[in-house]
Amino acid sequence: MPAYARGLLDRLVAIGAISDAAEREAQTAALWTALRDAGRIPFAHADTAVFLHRGAASSVAVAGDHTGWSPAALTRQGASTLWARVVSLPE
C-alpha cells in the first residue's frame, strides 16, 4: 500500500481509538472537513483509492467496475463513524 494511503488509514485508526466520544467526533469532523475541502473524497492517487464514508451505519459498501458491481464492504474505523476501503485500480 502506498505511504500516503497508509498515512490516511493510520490516522483513521487513531481517531477510531480515541476513547472520549466528544474528542473522537471533533477529530473526525476536522479530518472530514480537511479532506472534503481539498477534494480528497474519495482519497485517490495514481492507481490507489481510499473510499470513505462518514456516518452512523451498521454496514457500508461500494460497488463499481472495480468490484464487478458486487458490493464490497468498507471497514468501520474503531468506535468512530468513519468507514474506509482501499482499492487498487487499473491505470
Side-chain angles (χ1 to χ4, degrees):
M1 176 181 318
Y4 62 87
R6 171 59 31 213
L8 174 60
L9 289 179
D10 288 347
R11 184 147 180 221
L12 295 174
V13 168
I15 290 171
I18 296 171
S19 60
D20 180 80
E23 178 61 21
R24 187 174 56 246
E25 182 53 32
Q27 292 294 320
T28 297
L31 175 62
W32 195 261
T33 298
L35 290 171
R36 184 194 62 222
D37 290 352
R40 298 303 305 249
I41 300 172
F43 187 86
H45 181 75
D47 67 343
T48 302
V50 181
F51 289 96
L52 300 166
H53 173 76
R54 178 182 177 202
S58 59
S59 66
V60 177
V62 62
D65 287 341
H66 64 284
T67 66
W69 291 100
S70 295
L74 279 70
T75 302
R76 184 175 178 186
Q77 304 302 304
S80 75
T81 57
L82 294 168
W83 299 73
R85 179 176 183 83
V86 178
V87 177
S88 293
L89 303 169
E91 290 190 54

